[in-house]
Amino acid sequence: MVVLDLLGRRTTLRILWELQSGSLTFRALLDACETNTRLLNTRLGELREVGLVDHAEGGYRLTEEGRKLGSALKPLTQWADQWGHRMRDQAKADAAASDSAD
């Protein structure tokens, strides 16, 4: 439950997502996450405390554990992509049916 609580906090998953491709400075991460300084500082502190993110010369980056978490979340990402496509297809079908009913 601790992991789900942490991941469920606002901006946490976005930070992890943005750091998948490599290190980012605080400013770049702030812009990428579209959040405020205070919240980003709080989340980065939490993620550093549990060992998912660290800070080095190039900025913030995922630790080995952070990368493992990213790998563990890949099936969820794949499901979400497929679900999103199904939802869009359904919305298009509903709109087409509505147009033809008019």
Side-chain angles (χ1 to χ4, degrees):
M1 291 306 291
V2 173
V3 171
L4 293 178
D5 178 52
L6 178 64
L7 295 179
R9 294 178 188 164
R10 192 173 68 170
T11 309
T12 299
L13 284 172
R14 181 68 184 265
I15 292 168
L16 296 172
W17 176 263
E18 295 297 340
L19 292 176
Q20 286 184 97
S21 57
S23 297
L24 290 173
T25 64
F26 183 86
R27 178 62 57 192
L29 196 52
L30 184 66
D31 292 343
C33 291
E34 301 173 351
T35 190
N36 64 66
T37 302
R38 183 176 176 186
L39 180 60
L40 183 58
N41 267 323
T42 299
R43 293 299 175 258
L44 286 170
E46 293 167 350
L47 291 168
R48 289 176 75 186
E49 186 176 320
V50 298
L52 296 176
V53 170
D54 67 4
H55 187 262
E57 195 173 307
Y60 290 92
R61 64 182 181 195
L62 295 176
T63 63
E64 180 64 27
E65 284 302 313
R67 289 188 294 278
K68 287 179 185 177
L69 175 60
S71 293
L73 292 173
K74 283 189 193 280
L76 179 60
T77 301
Q78 293 168 342
W79 174 86
D81 288 342
Q82 294 168 357
W83 177 78
H85 288 298
R86 286 191 303 271
M87 295 302 289
R88 279 190 296 277
D89 291 347
Q90 185 61 50
K92 287 178 185 177
D94 291 347
S98 177
D99 288 344
S100 66
D102 292 336

